[in-house]
Amino acid sequence: MEDAERWIAQSPMSDPGRHADAIAALPVGIGPLNGIIQGVLLHADWVREYGLDATQFDASARRTLPVAERLEDVLRRDPQPLQAWRPAERRSAGTCRDFALLLCGFLRCKGVPARVRCGFAAYFAGEWEDHWVCEYWDAKAGTWRLSDAQIDGMLRQRNRIAFDAADVPRRFFLSAGEAWQACRRAEAAPSAFGHGDVTGLWFVKVNVLRDHYVLNGRETSPWDRWREAPELKRLVPDQALALLDDLAARPEQPLIEIPPDWLA
């Protein structure tokens, strides 16, 4: 089983707390769970696409919350059962990581090995955009598959996404380690990877570290503060390359604590 069972246990971030019984009553299929998540969450960067004003949402929209806390916010905004579809203005606003983390928590509740992955998606901006998805174990096929619970009808139409969001083809999503290796082999341009105006090998490095942390049950980390790094610090020192190469190739290895200023 490729040691997939290690990803059934909840992490502090994915643990739904008192909501576990409500999640147990939800459907098992990945597609239906994606739909339920789309009915309770809204991506903070896309609120205008739903006809809303960003000022309607507080600072938690940009901060990844533990699943238990996120579900508290969902029910505070609308106390209906989780499977009830909420209008956009009554959903909880988060980011792609919240969508992935919520699906991960749901699946673990149902005994399905699942983990959040940090990397880059090719289905939003045309190039490789910083993105988080959920990876789950398909026991019948004996393989890991990707699901992007964020892809609802609006995003599908706007970005002309034709694939099944419950089984994202690997060619459309690269884990951070895969992106790093492609850049190091000169098979891809580092400038194609990033978030907004921040691109390049330095940003790929940030995601390599975040993916390593998340695979060790740390869905958030000091590396999430990459926006605060001054431009002159957005480099990859030569002495860091060997470690980053190793983490890219084996992101699930035991956690290596890396101070944010050590590789800056």
Side-chain angles (χ1 to χ4, degrees):
M1 192 178 178
E2 198 193 273
D3 196 27
E5 289 184 350
R6 65 180 278 202
W7 281 286
I8 293 177
Q10 299 284 7
S11 70
M13 288 291 290
S14 71
D15 190 340
R18 72 178 186 89
H19 304 287
D21 288 345
I23 293 170
L26 299 178
V28 176
I30 307 298
L33 288 177
N34 281 351
I36 289 168
I37 291 168
Q38 291 159 15
V40 301
L41 288 186
L42 185 74
H43 196 292
D45 288 349
W46 297 93
V47 293
R48 289 182 177 82
E49 300 291 333
Y50 296 92
L52 303 178
D53 185 335
T55 60
Q56 294 177 241
F57 301 93
D58 58 29
S60 68
R62 294 301 314 174
R63 182 168 63 91
T64 302
L65 298 178
V67 166
E69 192 173 337
R70 179 63 68 184
L71 291 177
E72 291 294 336
D73 187 59
V74 166
L75 295 172
R76 178 178 62 81
R77 295 172 184 277
D78 188 324
Q80 296 184 84
L82 294 178
Q83 55 266 47
W85 184 267
R86 290 148 170 81
E89 66 272 15
R90 293 212 300 270
R91 298 179 205 165
S92 180
T95 68
C96 55
R97 186 166 12 177
D98 290 288
F99 283 85
L101 182 59
L102 198 53
L103 179 59
C104 179
F106 283 7
L107 289 173
R108 287 173 173 175
C109 274
K110 296 180 176 297
V112 178
R115 55 199 188 185
V116 179
R117 298 304 303 269
C118 177
F120 300 90
Y123 42 87
F124 290 120
E127 290 196 302
W128 294 99
E129 182 173 332
D130 170 45
H131 196 51
W132 298 70
V133 298
C134 179
E135 192 171 44
Y136 63 94
W137 182 254
D138 181 342
K140 180 180 284 189
T143 190
W144 289 100
R145 299 192 186 278
L146 301 172
S147 177
D148 189 346
Q150 184 187 328
I151 299 177
D152 62 4
M154 184 281 290
L155 285 175
R156 183 175 295 280
Q157 182 175 14
R158 189 184 188 281
N159 295 285
R160 300 179 181 179
I161 297 172
F163 57 77
D164 180 1
D167 187 11
V168 178
R170 293 282 174 174
R171 68 183 182 276
F172 291 120
F173 181 85
L174 292 179
S175 70
E178 291 169 333
W180 174 269
Q181 291 175 318
C183 291
R184 292 279 281 154
R185 292 192 297 259
E187 296 171 357
S191 60
F193 298 89
H195 182 96
D197 295 333
V198 183
T199 63
L201 196 63
W202 177 83
F203 193 95
V204 181
K205 174 205 77 172
V206 169
N207 275 11
V208 166
L209 295 171
R210 295 200 289 179
D211 196 48
H212 170 57
Y213 273 62
V214 77
L215 289 178
N216 281 278
R218 299 269 288 274
E219 286 88 357
T220 58
S221 75
W223 291 96
D224 298 327
R225 300 175 63 183
W226 59 266
R227 290 176 178 83
E228 300 172 14
E231 201 160 335
L232 291 176
K233 291 284 190 178
R234 295 178 178 182
L235 304 169
V236 181
D238 289 344
Q239 63 268 27
L241 291 174
L243 172 61
L244 291 165
D245 287 342
D246 185 46
L247 292 177
R250 300 185 301 121
E252 74 286 350
Q253 66 182 277
L255 181 69
I256 300 175
E257 294 280 3
I258 303 173
D261 59 348
W262 190 64
L263 293 180

